[in-house]
Amino acid sequence: MSLDSITQSVDEAVSGFFEPIATWLGEVVFYAVPVGGTDLPLIVAWLVVAGLVFTGWFGFIQLRKFKLALDVVRGKYDEKGSAGEVNHFQALTAAVSGTVGLGNIAGVAVAVSIGGPGATFWMILCGLLGMATKFVEVTLGVKYREVHPDGTVSGGPMHYLPKGLADRFGAGGRKLGKVLAVLASFMVLFFGLFGGNLFQVNQSYAQLVSVAGGEDGALGSSAGALFFGILIAALVGTVLLGGIRSIANVTSRLVPAMAGIYIVACLAVILVNVTAVPDAVATIVEGAFNPEGVAGGVLGALIIGFKRAAFSNEAGLGSAPIAHSAVKTKHPASEGLVALLEPFIDTVVICTMTALTIVIANPASWAKARAGEDIGGVTITSDAFETVLPWFPYVLTVAVLLFAVSTVLTWGYYGLKAWTYLFGRSRASEVTYKVIYTVFAVAGSLLTLQTLIDLADAVLFTLAVINIIGLYLLAPIVKRELDSFLELVRARKAGESADDGSGEDQEPARTTT
């Protein structure tokens, strides 16, 4: 029996067993209601409303404290002797590597095909709102993290839900929090194995095959797939063994590199067509409010844009606090401010650059997709770049591989923290997880397991429901942490200058109960 027939049999068996479960959970989690001629998934509304609430609650913190967030990333407010494993920049890049991926390349192309250019406007708005949500959940992640005797750190919703609810509501809150923590851990672990690992490897392999001669090329065979899977697994396993320090060291180099390659390519297309930029921007803005030519009108563009942004930056899902919790700091809100840069980088910058490139280049495949033809998002993006850079498919392949590897690494760490919360932190437990995770990386190049990937998506967004309820209940604690950090900022500024100034960060501290 050939390897191809074995993998096909496994795919069919798994799909046959899990498909009913995936279909049912997907219908529940992504339940949509008709609004203005299009469908609005309630989970997207849930995430967007959270962004609106926290933006108002914290007084547009993503705008007022943006410069302060950059200062924190640069290490301006570092404190010696802080517990943690990585610095602010490394924590940010580790978390960004978990959100920046194929969705930024293919997902955006699909969004501007279905929702029209105007979807880009709403995507940016949703990204800006998500910055406030990310600030809240990461502040809680650092506030209630667990620092182990060996100096390593564990954090995330499985820690701040039971501890935070206990702080606010006593024993009853702790019991509820523990139940939610176990559920959150299972959800993170499940998505990490299938969405954060297997899917990323599978899609990066598919892109590599497409530029290496297709199915008839050197990598198109099952042996080529196995070789690729083993190579990725070896890389991931080696880095994963080093823990968050090793992952952060890799991602702090990989994330800027992959983002740089991609943005430079976007700028190349934009600069070659620089005279078309004003018209492209006008098209995006007009398309956001002009229903002509947009499926579902204004609401259609809005929903598609919000959906793409919410699925891309993961604000409110509870995943990012796991990476950020390892930061070296004594003030949780300092890392919360760093984290609000995540949706800005992921959605406002990278997703917008992709959309702008497609609108400016206006490739034939995009026009066909808007007319209803089934054309893959990667193809549309690749065609847009190819109008200026004929060799771009090879660059795109490098970008996809970098995106995929960094995502696999970060979700490997997320999954490890969920695993150890459920099964303990013994060496045997951790090694068992790492072996399982690396085996899944090998399987990713051989199997599609689309049903399990769909199930993983539904599971992860179920976590958003649990997590955001917790964020609402614990927001007053976040407010106190923010005031505490701003006191440090004021003290540092007072020490730098005798002039007390009137900067935005020098507002008087407020007492929150």
Side-chain angles (χ1 to χ4, degrees), residues 398-411:
V398 173
V400 166
L401 288 172
L402 292 177
F403 283 145
V405 169
S406 64
T407 300
V408 172
L409 287 174
T410 298
W411 273 99

Side-chain angles (χ1 to χ4, degrees), residues 25-32 40-43 311 454 457-459 461:
L25 188 59
E27 289 175 350
V28 172
V29 175
F30 300 114
Y31 179 77
L40 171 64
L42 293 183
I43 188 64
F311 281 39
D454 293 341
D457 280 339
V459 165
F461 279 86

Side-chain angles (χ1 to χ4, degrees), residues 58-374:
F58 292 94
F60 290 87
I61 189 170
Q62 62 268 63
L63 302 179
R64 293 189 306 110
K65 305 300 179 185
F66 190 86
K67 182 180 180 299
L68 177 59
L70 294 176
D71 287 339
V72 176
V73 171
R74 293 191 296 109
K76 184 174 180 180
Y77 297 102
D78 286 354
E79 297 174 274
K80 292 182 179 179
S82 298
E85 300 181 74
V86 296
N87 61 37
H88 289 291
F89 177 73
Q90 290 174 321
L92 175 64
T93 55
V96 167
S97 68
T99 61
V100 175
L102 296 172
N104 301 77
I105 299 173
V108 173
V110 173
V112 295
S113 297
I114 298 174
T120 307
F121 178 90
W122 301 112
M123 183 173 63
I124 294 171
L125 179 59
C126 186
L128 292 171
L129 294 176
M131 293 168 71
T133 306
K134 192 81 77 165
F135 162 75
V136 174
E137 63 182 347
V138 169
T139 299
L140 290 171
V142 180
K143 166 73 174 176
Y144 292 108
R145 64 183 176 176
E146 182 176 346
V147 181
H148 305 295
D150 61 359
T152 60
V153 177
S154 296
M158 63 283 286
H159 292 277
Y160 63 70
L161 288 174
K163 293 179 181 178
L165 292 176
D167 271 1
R168 286 217 67 198
F169 306 106
R174 181 179 296 277
K175 291 178 181 178
L176 173 61
K178 284 185 176 180
V179 173
L180 297 180
V182 171
L183 290 173
S185 297
F186 273 115
M187 292 169 188
V188 170
L189 178 60
F190 191 82
F191 183 85
L193 291 173
F194 293 99
N197 184 349
L198 188 144
F199 174 71
Q200 297 293 328
V201 175
N202 183 275
Q203 293 299 295
S204 59
Y205 170 69
Q207 176 64 19
L208 185 61
V209 169
S210 71
V211 299
E215 296 297 329
D216 297 327
L219 292 173
S221 65
S222 55
L226 183 61
F227 172 77
F228 178 80
I230 291 174
L231 184 64
I232 295 297
L235 173 62
V236 170
T238 301
V239 177
L240 198 59
L241 286 172
I244 187 61
R245 291 187 180 93
S246 179
I247 293 171
N249 285 334
V250 172
T251 56
S252 64
R253 293 171 175 81
L254 202 57
V255 170
M258 69 185 185
I261 290 172
Y262 193 71
I263 290 173
V264 166
C266 289
L267 288 175
V269 176
I270 293 170
L271 291 175
V272 168
N273 300 280
V274 67
T275 56
V277 172
D279 287 341
V281 173
T283 299
I284 288 172
V285 175
E286 290 172 7
F289 301 98
N290 183 358
E292 293 182 10
V294 179
V298 175
L299 283 174
L302 183 151
I303 291 169
I304 293 297
F306 277 9
K307 182 177 179 181
R308 177 66 263 145
F311 281 39
S312 179
N313 61 50
E314 297 180 12
L317 271 61
S319 51
I322 301 174
H324 285 284
S325 295
V327 73
K328 295 176 182 178
T329 185
K330 296 177 182 178
H331 289 82
S334 68
E335 189 61 18
L337 290 170
V338 169
L340 65 76
L341 296 174
E342 252 185 81
F344 183 83
I345 296 169
D346 176 274
T347 306
V348 178
V349 176
I350 297 180
C351 285
T352 302
M353 292 287 280
T354 301
L356 192 59
T357 299
I358 293 171
V359 173
I360 288 174
N362 194 21
S365 56
W366 183 43
K368 292 178 181 178
R370 294 202 65 192
E373 289 190 30
D374 185 14

